């Protein structure tokens, strides 16, 4: 098998599914790894749906969709992944210890030429790479949700990331038709830093009773032409992930990133967003938003 066509994605949540689809649909063999069997099952269903929608909309043929699905494999551990993979992308839960453990395991499983990328939204690439024997091969490849629609990949260079790894990461991004930008590591990079601030401020406005969730979202869509309001976006991103990012940015960049207490309450109540069927708004079994549903702080 060709390493340049072989990818391992670790973490089959919201992002892992999208990243696995992006590679499988562009001719790569993909092994998707997750510790939770349920996540792998949901991932396959989501990927099947994205491929079926592509066929229905005339973006790809049924044969191409079937071939993409045949290139996708699932596993509960890295031991079943092909050793010669050219790229491993970890996109597991946004916690430093989880990411470092995956980097350690990936290094023991794959050869020295394998690029080890992390899709962290905000954490330090340098710190994630610090547990590696060869930290030069560790890099940030930050994708956006939903991956099949969002064109950008932020390529994030840690202190030890080699120029060769940066070049390879940009090639991988080109290979799936994305636009890459290069960022020197800083908390939240260029994107999460802005998006976390905006979403947090919207949540403070909701908590203060400035306007309803619907009106806050409508204001950003209509006044600034954002494709989505910040509260809708938080439901899509997942408030648990958003909270982890804010906590890290608060710790590293200061007070302006202090997480709004309403986000903490949402996460405590299991309102993680679309992925749990309830966030600021509520969603039916098909993921369709239920009108007039959701959190009313007042
Ligand atoms: N949600 C977004 O919009 C978004 C956007 C860009 C980047 N990210 C980043 O992507 C990463 C994943 O986010 P998500 O939204 O997909 O989270 P998620 O909660 O939907 O999925 C995380 C998955 O990781 C799995 N996991 C945890 N530990 C694991 C391990 N040791 N090995 C294998 N799998 C493991 C979990 O079972 C879960 O299925 C995070 O670092 C997040 O910051 C998220």
């Amino acid at each position: 098998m060709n390493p340049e066509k072989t990818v391992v994605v670790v973490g089959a949540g919201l992002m892992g599914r999208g990243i696995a689809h992006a590679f499988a649909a562009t001719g790569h063999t993909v092994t998707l790894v997750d510790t939770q069997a349920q996540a792998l099952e949901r991932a396959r269903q989501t990927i099947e749906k994205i491929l079926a929608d592509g066929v229905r909309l005339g973006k790809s043929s049924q044969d191409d969709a079937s071939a993409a699905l045949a290139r996708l494999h699932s596993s509960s551990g890295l031991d079943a992944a092909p050793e010669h993979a050219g790229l491993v992308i970890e996109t597991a839960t946004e916690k430093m210890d989880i990411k470092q453990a995956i980097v350690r395991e990936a290094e023991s499983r794959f050869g020295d030429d394998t690029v080890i990328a992390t899709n962290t939204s905000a954490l330090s690439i340098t710190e994630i790479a610090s547990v590696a024997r060869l930290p030069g091969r560790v890099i940030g490849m930050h994708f956006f949700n939903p991956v099949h629609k969002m064109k950008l990949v932020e390529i994030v260079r840690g202190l030890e990331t080699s120029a060769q790894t940066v070049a390879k990461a940009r090639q991988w991004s080109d290979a799936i038709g994305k636009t890459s930008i290069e960022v020197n590591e800083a908390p939240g990079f260029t994107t999460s830093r802005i998006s976390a601030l905006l979403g947090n401020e919207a949540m403070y406005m909701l908590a203060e009773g400035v306007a309803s969730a619907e009106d806050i979202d409508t204001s950003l869509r209509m006044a600034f032409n954002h494709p989505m309001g910040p509260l809708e976006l938080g439901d899509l991103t997942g408030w648990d992930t958003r909270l982890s990012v804010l906590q890290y940015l608060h710790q590293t960049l200061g007070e302006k990133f202090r997480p709004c207490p309403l986000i903490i309450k949402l996460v405590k109540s299991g309102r993680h967003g679309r992925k749990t069927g309830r966030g600021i708004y509520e969603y039916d079994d098909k993921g369709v938003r239920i009108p007039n549903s959701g959190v009313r702080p007042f």
Side-chain angles (χ1 to χ4, degrees):
M1 259 194 220
N2 179 356
E4 284 169 22
K5 289 278 176 195
T6 311
V7 175
V8 178
V9 178
V10 186
L14 220 53
M15 295 304 290
R17 293 165 205 168
I19 296 169
H21 162 265
F23 280 99
T26 48
H28 300 85
T29 299
V30 178
T31 305
L32 182 55
V33 177
D34 203 293
T35 45
Q36 305 294 320
Q38 210 186 352
L40 291 169
E41 204 177 302
R42 261 190 92 182
R44 183 162 281 271
Q45 287 166 3
T46 307
I47 293 169
E48 278 175 5
K49 182 170 183 318
I50 299 171
L51 290 168
D53 286 349
V55 173
R56 191 170 45 79
L57 297 170
K59 291 183 179 167
S60 66
S61 69
Q62 183 58 56
D63 282 356
D64 286 348
S66 304
L69 209 54
R71 283 190 290 269
L72 180 71
H73 310 278
S74 300
S75 169
S76 60
L78 278 185
D79 43 345
E83 280 172 56
H84 60 270
L87 174 67
V88 177
I89 303 182
E90 87 65 33
T91 182
T93 311
E94 183 78 343
K95 300 274 179 220
M96 182 57 74
D97 55 340
I98 292 179
K99 293 185 181 298
Q100 287 183 329
I102 293 170
V103 168
R104 269 200 207 95
E105 202 188 338
E107 271 212 313
S108 66
R109 170 77 191 161
F110 304 104
D112 290 357
D113 290 336
T114 305
V115 168
I116 302 178
T118 168
N119 181 42
T120 177
S121 300
L123 298 175
S124 160
I125 310 302
T126 304
E127 193 177 348
I128 293 172
S130 67
V131 297
R133 182 174 47 84
L134 299 172
R137 60 146 112 177
V138 180
I139 192 161
M141 284 182 79
H142 185 207
F143 291 79
F144 298 86
N145 185 25
V147 180
H148 65 290
K149 291 192 178 152
M150 305 300 279
K151 280 287 193 191
L152 185 70
V153 178
E154 240 180 335
I155 304 285
V156 189
R157 183 197 284 267
L159 185 67
E160 308 285 350
T161 307
S162 71
Q164 194 192 14
T165 301
V166 173
K168 282 188 188 174
R170 294 198 87 153
Q171 280 164 14
W172 282 106
S173 165
D174 291 347
I176 56 170
K178 302 290 186 202
T179 300
S180 60
I181 59 159
E182 215 177 299
V183 180
N184 286 315
E185 178 189 313
F189 322 133
T190 58
T191 51
S192 302
R193 184 163 167 175
I194 297 281
S195 152
L197 199 59
L198 201 66
N200 205 35
E201 200 57 33
M203 205 59 134
Y204 273 116
M205 292 199 298
L206 181 66
E208 288 164 13
V210 173
S212 68
E214 286 85 351
D215 284 351
I216 292 170
D217 277 336
T218 302
S219 75
L220 271 94
R221 274 192 270 104
M222 308 292 267
F224 304 128
N225 233 359
H226 287 194
M228 265 188 153
L231 302 172
E232 297 169 301
L233 182 60
D235 270 10
L236 184 69
T237 300
W239 291 103
D240 53 335
T241 300
R242 175 56 62 83
L243 179 59
S244 298
V245 169
L246 276 166
Q247 284 166 333
Y248 181 71
L249 295 178
H250 182 218
Q251 191 193 324
T252 49
L253 296 177
E255 202 48 32
K256 66 184 170 187
F257 290 96
R258 177 183 289 281
C260 172
L262 186 53
I263 301 182
I264 298 169
K265 276 193 208 163
L266 276 192
V267 173
K268 280 187 176 152
S269 74
R271 284 185 173 270
H272 292 186
R274 281 179 173 271
K275 63 183 166 184
T276 57
R278 300 178 324 141
I280 284 290
Y281 305 108
E282 289 168 13
Y283 304 86
D284 68 16
D285 290 350
K286 294 199 169 69
V288 177
R289 193 158 121 195
I290 301 168
N292 301 318
S293 66
V295 170
R296 298 280 179 272
F298 290 97

